[in-house]
Every structure is written in structure tokens, then in C-alpha cells.
Amino acid sequence: MGLFSFFKITESDEHNEHDEIEESASVSQRLMKDVIDSMPDDKTSNKLQINTDIKKSDVALGGINFHPDIKDLLWFADGPLKNIHPGESIKNFSHGRFTITFSILGMEEPSMIFCEQAIEIPRHTDSIERPPYYPTYSALSPMQKGMYLKFLENPYRDDIDIGFVFILYYGLERHLLLGNWRKAVDVVIKLRDCHKNKSFQQYSAYALILTAMYRAQGEIAIALLASLDKDYEIQNFPTELYLMCASSFNLHITARDLMRMAPLFGFNNKLYIKKNPDLFEKTLSEKISELRGRDYILISDYLSENELNTLKKHNIKIFANTSLRDTKIEIPFITENKKLQEAFYYLLSTAHESVKNLVAEIRRNSCLKPEQKKQSEPKKQKTMPELVKELQQGTKAIPLPTGYRTAMQALRGMKKIDKENAVDYLKQIYDLAVQYSMQIDYSEFCKCPGYNIIEIIPKTATENLEYNYNDIGYNELTLSKTDIKEIVNLWGEPEHHSTLNKMYHDLWHEYEIKYKKENPI
């Protein structure tokens, strides 16, 4: 099929608006160039002078030598290197085949470095608290700031908490959209090679593909795909993006790729994929060869360019950067195509049946011994202080699902350790589940995720809402089977099952109306 148009931007009537954005980007680049050109050429050219108002005899203070890859990609809120204004807003923009929308209402760039804020360089980093979810430089403690700035001397070290990596990455995302995007692309690809975190891998993949589309630079996508040489990079690469690239560049979809993507095509019986992966891959590869005459698949084997052009598109939020969080791009969901679903499901299911019969035959002939379960090492028991810290971090991150899960796991761990107060922890688990039930997955009224609504409801508006076990029950709450069993043993069966959202829907709808007014479609 050749290069498909996912990575081309066609001419349109919105050319003038595009020019405005390009002009904004070039101004940002010129400003950055002026800043860098103004730096002295000696060895201290990339040093940040640290505020020495804080004096501690056991803390080493000094200059920071930024890594040459990033020294001209950092954002400074004050001082001689200032190159961004706190709360600076950016216009909405849409162009060509793909729509990119971003609206930033006075939100500060989270990676901005404030030169006048206090910094302490820690000698020992073990005791430094990790940054919270969605960290910002300005909210770090002086010790955390010092640790982050030292990290900027070598951002490719993999022994740093991912929160510090994200602070740097936020600023790189801003460059991808409106700054020195070419250099930012190179740095992000190098960072992906060092940091395994699933969220970082997924956010950065989306951001780089967005840049390839927005800039009409297919080589960015090719470079990203070429960099996928580690299992964690491949496993965490968003499937929709991979298939979009596969259709654009005629990439070979192998048996192993198909096994990884199986659930998205309705194939959920992964028994032999997990227990006999090599045998399953070999068998599936043979099925593909029988069907296509080669051991790989092309998207063009099943979908024409016209069919790809008419695929339903979804608005996807791209950036992790909270000041760019409303930036969206429309991408086609190839996995929703029924023709492709049926074809891939057929290959997977026939391979499954063949492996099933083969394994049974081998066992009948006593050639294959039943697999012995490996003795897994017992998991290290977390201490109470560790669980308390996790509970605090998780609670702070709610309403994010990851925050809720972290908080609930922490409470369950505390209940297991402190058995004398198990009932109190169980009550906390229940109360947290009830509070979380105020959120719904999707708001039909606003045509947006429920997260967007819950985010604008003040916590004080929901924390004091009255409810009881007989009205709320447990069946519609996000609880584990063990939680429910223990709750029923404690309080018996409730009279009704509901959620906080259903009980106080008027409050929810009040903020839906507010959100819709502030975000008209």
C-alpha cells in the first residue's frame, strides 16, 4: 500500500491558523536560541546557580551541570534564563485531516524551574520522599528539587523515581507541540530506552505519534518503531497506534504480534498462549503461512485504503502534562473493524484448537510431562509505614483509578498486618468505595469521560454526603470478593444496592451543566 495518509497533512482552508501556530512555535524557538546564545562558552555554560539562603552543614551545595541533550529544552519561570510565563495560555487549533485541539486556561507548565526557590542537594537520597502523582517542580520540597536538578545532569540513569522523569518529560511534551520539537523527539526516544514505567511508555508513544502526524513527519514514527527493541517497550506500545503505523508503513504483523493483541480482537482464551507460548507462536505462524503464503500479515491484506479512510475516529487525550491535558487528536481505531476482527479471531482460534489437540496427543503418548509449577519466591511484606505512605499517595491521586487502587491495596495490607483493628480498616475500605462511586465512566449529558466531571466537583461537596449501608449496599461498588464477603459477615445483607452518584444525582448533574457551559462542543 505504501505510505498511508495518517502521517500526511493535506492542504485546507485552515492554512492561516496553521501559520499562526508555526509563527508561535518559531517565536518560542527564537527565544530559546537567544537564551542559549547568551550563555557563556566556558565549562559553566550550563550551570544553574543555586540559591544558598538555606544553609546546612551536612548538605553539599553547588552548581548544576545540565546534560547537553536537554539544557536547551528546559523551561525557566524566572531568572536570566526565563523563557516562559507562568500560566501562559495557548490557542485552540485544528488543521487538515486530523484535528488537534488544545485549550489551556491559565494552567502553569509543571516542569518550570524557579531559580529563586530554595534548593538543597541531598548527600543521601534513600530518605527523600518520592514525588506525588502529577508532580510539578514548584511543589517539590527543597531536597526533592535538589534531587531533580542532579537528575538533569544525566536523565538517562534508570535508578531515579519515575516522578522526576515525568517532570522533565512534561517540558519535552510542550516542545513537541510548540517548541524545539526535533530535539525533543530524539530525547524522548532515548528516555524511553531507559525508563520502563508503563504510563511513561504509553504517554510518550502517543506524544511522538501525535508529533509525527501534526508535523507530517512519518520518519518520527519510523524512528519510534525502530527503537522498540526491549520487551517492555513492545508490550506497552498502544495497539491502536501500532496498527495505524502498520497500515501506514506496510509493517509485518507476526504471530507474536497477534498473540499480544489477541484480547482486542475478542480472543480471550489465553491458556496455551501463556502455558505453551513457543508452540502457539509456531502453530499460529504456520496458519498464517497457509492462508497468506508468508509468515506475516499486512493490514492491506484485509482493508483497502478507502476502508481505512472511513474508519471511525476517536478523540484521544495525548499528553501527560497537566497544562496540556485537554490536547486531543482524532485517530482511527483499526481494531473496531469487523472484517479485521473476524480474520484475526479466526487465525487465533484455529491455532488454539491445533495446539490443544497437539498437546493432548503428546500427553497421550507420554512425551510431555505435566508442567511443574515453579516455586515462586514469597513476596516481600510491606511495612506499616510503607503502606501508610502508599495510602496517602493513593488518596491524593483519587479520582484517578490508579490512585483508588493504590489506596485500597494499602488499606487491605494494613488490615492484614494490624489484625486487632481489622474492622476499622474494613470500614475505611467501604467508605472509600462509596466515595469513589460518585464517579461514573462516561457522562452522556456532556459526551465526555466522567473523570472530567468529578475533577471539577470540590471534595468538600462530596465528603459530607450522608449515606448508610442499607441504601448503598455493595453490589455496585468497586470492591473485591474478599471485601464483600467480610462486609456481609460484619453487617449482613443490605436492603438495597446503589451508588453515591445515583443517590445524589442532582449534585452530579449540577456540575455536568457547569462543565458543559465551560466546555461547549
Side-chain angles (χ1 to χ4, degrees):
M1 181 188 298
L3 179 65
F4 185 56
S5 55
F6 287 140
F7 296 98
K8 293 179 182 177
I9 297 183
T10 57
E11 292 297 323
S12 76
D13 295 335
E14 295 162 335
H15 181 72
N16 290 336
E17 213 169 343
H18 177 66
D19 289 343
E20 288 179 19
I21 294 297
E22 287 297 325
E23 182 181 351
S24 173
S26 64
V27 168
S28 175
Q29 290 171 0
R30 287 200 305 273
L31 174 59
M32 183 63 69
K33 184 176 184 301
D34 291 343
V35 170
I36 300 306
D37 289 347
S38 67
M39 292 181 176
D41 294 328
D42 61 18
K43 293 182 180 179
T44 63
S45 61
N46 53 343
K47 273 195 176 184
L48 171 67
Q49 295 303 315
I50 295 178
N51 185 337
T52 56
D53 288 344
I54 293 183
K55 295 180 180 179
K56 288 183 179 285
S57 58
D58 59 340
V59 176
L61 300 178
I64 299 296
N65 291 296
F66 295 125
H67 193 283
D69 282 4
I70 62 168
K71 71 174 185 177
D72 54 345
L73 296 176
L74 302 174
W75 298 102
F76 294 92
D78 55 18
L81 303 182
K82 181 176 180 178
N83 56 3
I84 188 172
H85 296 284
E88 187 174 16
S89 62
I90 300 176
K91 293 178 62 177
N92 290 332
F93 168 61
S94 60
H95 181 72
R97 172 184 294 280
F98 296 98
T99 300
I100 302 170
T101 340
F102 44 94
S103 177
I104 303 159
L105 305 175
M107 295 198 67
E108 288 190 354
E109 164 58 44
S111 73
M112 286 190 303
I113 295 172
F114 290 80
C115 301
E116 296 178 2
Q117 289 182 348
I119 300 165
E120 294 184 59
I121 306 297
R123 284 183 181 175
H124 306 288
T125 59
D126 295 345
S127 61
I128 305 300
E129 187 175 354
R130 60 176 298 183
Y133 290 95
Y134 292 104
T136 67
Y137 176 83
S138 62
L140 297 178
S141 69
M143 280 285 194
Q144 289 174 323
K145 286 185 173 75
M147 190 169 178
Y148 172 67
L149 293 173
K150 292 297 289 182
F151 158 69
L152 295 183
E153 294 186 335
N154 178 16
Y156 307 120
R157 49 182 280 204
D158 60 4
D159 61 343
I160 191 77
D161 186 272
I162 195 65
F164 293 113
V165 180
F166 262 108
I167 295 175
L168 169 62
Y169 173 68
Y170 294 152
L172 295 174
E173 283 189 334
R174 181 173 288 272
H175 276 290
L176 291 176
L177 187 62
L178 283 171
N180 189 350
W181 59 273
R182 290 185 186 277
K183 189 167 185 179
V185 165
D186 294 338
V187 173
V188 172
I189 289 177
K190 288 174 72 173
L191 288 172
R192 285 172 52 81
D193 208 44
C194 308
H195 302 291
K196 300 179 181 180
N197 179 267
K198 180 178 179 180
S199 294
F200 175 72
Q201 288 289 319
Q202 292 182 340
Y203 272 120
S204 57
Y206 273 113
L208 289 172
I209 293 297
L210 163 67
T211 304
M213 294 166 68
Y214 167 44
R215 303 288 179 185
Q217 299 286 333
E219 59 267 28
I220 295 175
I222 293 173
L224 173 60
L225 293 168
S227 73
L228 303 179
D229 59 352
K230 295 181 176 63
D231 284 344
Y232 66 81
E233 292 176 306
I234 296 167
Q235 293 298 325
N236 293 322
F237 197 90
T239 301
E240 295 297 348
L241 292 188
Y242 184 80
L243 291 177
M244 194 171 72
C245 292
S247 65
S248 297
F249 306 115
N250 276 334
L251 299 181
H252 296 178
I253 298 174
T254 65
R256 182 171 294 185
D257 293 328
L258 210 52
M259 289 161 66
R260 178 171 63 89
M261 299 184 287
L264 286 172
F265 296 100
F267 187 81
N268 296 308
N269 191 345
K270 301 182 76 174
L271 174 65
Y272 296 112
I273 290 178
K274 289 181 177 179
K275 292 186 72 173
N276 308 90
D278 293 338
L279 180 58
F280 196 101
E281 183 180 354
K282 180 177 180 292
T283 306
L284 181 56
S285 186
E286 290 170 355
K287 297 293 181 185
I288 293 172
S289 295
E290 289 172 12
L291 187 68
R292 309 304 319 180
R294 43 178 153 76
D295 61 356
Y296 61 87
I297 297 169
L298 298 174
I299 295 295
S300 57
D301 290 337
Y302 300 97
L303 301 179
S304 67
E305 185 164 341
N306 183 58
E307 287 174 308
L308 285 165
N309 277 323
T310 55
L311 285 170
K312 182 181 178 182
K313 295 183 177 68
H314 293 261
N315 268 318
I316 302 296
K317 287 190 176 183
I318 303 298
F319 293 128
N321 185 325
T322 51
S323 73
L324 306 174
R325 64 182 175 180
D326 290 330
T327 308
K328 301 174 187 174
I329 191 166
E330 287 184 338
I331 68 168
F333 271 31
I334 296 177
T335 54
E336 292 183 354
N337 180 271
K338 281 196 173 183
K339 188 193 294 188
L340 204 65
Q341 285 178 350
E342 290 171 0
F344 285 8
Y345 182 87
Y346 170 79
L347 285 167
L348 288 159
S349 58
T350 53
H352 175 89
E353 288 302 314
S354 294
V355 172
K356 178 182 175 181
N357 294 334
L358 184 58
V359 168
E361 183 181 347
I362 294 173
R363 282 182 176 158
R364 277 196 300 272
N365 296 330
S366 302
C367 294
L368 181 66
K369 295 179 181 179
E371 293 184 14
Q372 293 183 346
K373 291 185 178 180
K374 292 182 180 179
Q375 294 293 327
S376 57
E377 294 182 8
K379 289 184 178 180
K380 182 184 175 183
Q381 182 79 29
K382 290 182 179 178
T383 65
M384 187 61 83
E386 288 174 331
L387 292 169
V388 170
K389 185 180 288 187
E390 283 189 9
L391 176 60
Q392 291 170 343
Q393 291 173 342
T395 304
K396 189 182 292 186
I398 292 174
L400 289 173
T402 52
Y404 177 74
R405 287 195 296 270
T406 298
M408 291 294 267
Q409 287 168 3
L411 282 169
R412 290 174 187 132
M414 294 161 76
K415 177 165 65 72
K416 190 178 291 186
I417 293 174
D418 187 8
K419 293 182 180 179
E420 289 185 5
N421 296 303
V423 172
D424 291 336
Y425 291 116
L426 187 61
K427 288 178 180 177
Q428 290 182 60
I429 287 171
Y430 183 77
D431 287 338
L432 189 59
V434 172
Q435 290 292 329
Y436 191 67
S437 73
M438 189 65 180
Q439 182 173 340
I440 59 175
D441 291 336
Y442 189 78
S443 167
E444 287 292 344
F445 182 78
C446 295
K447 304 298 181 187
C448 73
Y451 174 81
N452 293 10
I453 312 301
I454 199 71
E455 200 177 27
I456 66 170
I457 303 178
K459 282 191 176 181
T460 52
T462 58
E463 284 176 344
N464 297 319
L465 296 177
E466 294 185 1
Y467 60 87
N468 60 63
Y469 176 64
N470 275 327
D471 291 333
I472 293 282
Y474 57 80
N475 205 38
E476 297 186 41
L477 304 182
T478 308
L479 292 163
S480 71
K481 290 180 180 179
T482 303
D483 295 334
I484 292 171
K485 182 179 178 181
E486 292 178 353
I487 286 168
V488 172
N489 287 340
L490 181 64
W491 293 322
E493 285 290 342
E495 295 177 7
H496 307 285
H497 293 286
S498 186
T499 65
L500 208 61
N501 186 284
K502 290 178 180 178
M503 285 185 65
Y504 293 96
H505 193 70
D506 288 346
L507 174 65
W508 175 264
H509 190 55
E510 175 188 336
Y511 283 94
E512 282 184 314
I513 294 170
K514 181 179 178 182
Y515 178 86
K516 198 167 187 176
K517 284 181 180 177
E518 294 175 352
N519 299 272
I521 297 174

